[in-house]
Amino acid sequence: QVQLVESGGGLVQPGGSLRLSCAASGFTFSRYAMRWYRQAPGKERELVAHITSAGGSASYLDFVKGRFTISRDNAKNTVYLQMNSLKPEDTAVYYCNAWIGGRDYWGQGTQVTVSS
């Protein structure tokens, strides 16, 4: 069965960095685009970054452009989100996502808190 397991969240000061990882299993990872979403308290879940199956193309939420980088290692079945210059507004639960066979799959999420 499809499994997505996020890790790497935590508490960081404004201006700091974190790298999130999402380990995937149960499907042919290299065939599918992957996405990172986030959901802040009281807000709707929003798409943060998207990467194509081979990793040749990526797109980002405007607010994170130039600060976040999505990447993937198809040999390790893992997608990453490098987050630099973090702001308090980036505080949220971050979720890994894949669209496979006509449905969404989600990880359990990892909390990112940006605060001094």
Side-chain angles (χ1 to χ4, degrees):
Q1 70 279 22
V2 174
Q3 278 197 307
L4 301 171
V5 180
E6 301 96 335
S7 61
L11 173 64
V12 63
Q13 293 188 342
S17 298
L18 283 174
R19 188 175 84 151
L20 306 184
S21 299
C22 171
S25 61
F27 64 104
T28 307
F29 181 75
S30 61
R31 291 184 180 177
Y32 294 92
M34 296 296 296
R35 298 168 186 82
W36 284 99
Y37 283 77
R38 69 184 182 187
Q39 188 166 20
K43 295 189 176 181
E44 295 200 351
R45 195 170 293 191
E46 62 181 356
L47 177 62
V48 175
H50 166 279
I51 189 166
T52 54
S53 57
S57 180
S59 59
Y60 299 91
L61 178 70
D62 283 348
F63 185 73
V64 308
K65 281 181 182 176
R67 300 189 296 120
F68 289 13
T69 303
I70 188 171
S71 63
R72 63 191 296 160
D73 185 337
N74 284 349
K76 295 182 177 180
N77 288 358
T78 301
V79 61
Y80 304 97
L81 186 66
Q82 177 67 43
M83 305 186 295
N84 299 328
S85 303
L86 282 160
K87 305 178 180 184
E89 300 94 319
D90 295 315
T91 295
V93 179
Y94 284 72
Y95 297 91
C96 182
N97 167 271
W99 175 264
I100 302 168
R103 61 157 286 185
D104 275 314
Y105 289 89
W106 300 92
Q108 82 287 354
T110 186
Q111 176 70 48
V112 171
T113 302
V114 185
S115 174
S116 54

